[in-house]
Amino acid sequence: MNALKKIDYHLDMAEVADRYSISVRTLERWLRDPSLGFPKPMMINKRRFFRASDLHQFDAEKAGRDVEEKNKALGLEIASDVIQTYEDFVKAMRARREALDMPCSEVDARSGMQENYTNKLENPGKKYGRGVGPDTLPLWLGGLRVGIILVDLPRRPRKGKGA
């Protein structure tokens, strides 16, 4: 799975400057210096925007890493898209189970959760559904052989419906 294509978004000049802890003026100098190889922005309504994937590739090349490592975190394959809501988390966990071709009962058995609990976790809005709690989260993650890595997003996350 090419996770970067799925999470590709655009950043404006101020967000890119903030990402590299530089001023917008310094960023403009970087753009004029072809020896740096800094990604070129695209113009949208007379404003410059950068693709996040281009910036990730630039960072990887400057750090001396293989660009193909961009789909890895700590050397491990990325197993989901960016998760910013509980609904995203549940969808990612269900997709992981389906990618491993595991029925809910096998996840229950591998994780040590009671029978049919995975089905409840995957349906939190339903009458029989359950939300994941502090005791269940590590069991569910372990049953699907995944972990959670927090990363700094280059921009503020989107606001929820109630915010």
Side-chain angles (χ1 to χ4, degrees):
M1 162 172 57
N2 190 342
L4 283 181
K5 283 190 178 172
K6 290 187 178 184
I7 66 167
D8 207 7
Y9 45 87
H10 297 85
L11 291 87
D12 65 19
M13 293 284 286
E15 290 170 325
V16 173
D18 188 49
R19 174 187 175 118
Y20 293 102
S21 300
I22 60 172
S23 68
V24 171
R25 190 161 216 163
T26 299
L27 178 58
E28 290 169 346
R29 272 197 309 274
W30 287 11
L31 292 171
R32 288 191 302 268
D33 186 352
S35 66
L36 289 176
F38 197 78
K40 299 295 178 205
M42 64 173 58
M43 297 295 288
I44 302 174
N45 291 333
K46 299 182 182 179
R47 291 183 59 202
R48 292 180 280 187
F49 290 89
F50 297 81
R51 284 186 190 90
S53 60
D54 293 344
L55 297 172
H56 290 304
Q57 182 172 350
F58 173 77
D59 294 344
E61 289 170 354
K62 289 300 176 192
R65 295 188 313 262
D66 182 4
V67 176
E68 291 304 313
E69 287 185 20
K70 64 187 174 192
N71 292 328
K72 296 187 177 204
L74 301 176
L76 303 169
E77 291 294 322
I78 294 174
S80 77
D81 296 335
V82 173
I83 296 171
Q84 293 185 351
T85 65
Y86 187 74
E87 182 179 285
D88 292 346
F89 176 72
V90 172
K91 284 180 185 177
M93 294 296 280
R94 182 182 296 122
R96 173 65 176 179
R97 180 183 57 76
E98 291 169 354
L100 293 172
D101 198 28
M102 294 172 101
C104 290
S105 58
E106 187 175 343
V107 178
D108 294 336
R110 286 179 181 230
S111 66
M113 292 188 291
Q114 67 184 357
E115 186 177 325
N116 206 28
Y117 207 77
T118 297
N119 190 37
K120 292 177 182 180
L121 294 173
E122 288 183 359
N123 295 285
K126 303 266 174 48
K127 183 179 178 182
Y128 58 88
R130 300 282 184 273
V132 66
D135 295 333
T136 309
L137 180 64
L139 297 174
W140 198 15
L141 293 169
L144 292 172
R145 300 188 317 255
V146 293
I148 296 175
I149 296 175
L150 302 179
V151 297
D152 282 326
L153 293 175
R155 61 163 86 188
R156 282 175 262 140
R158 64 178 184 252
K159 292 183 180 178
K161 293 177 184 173

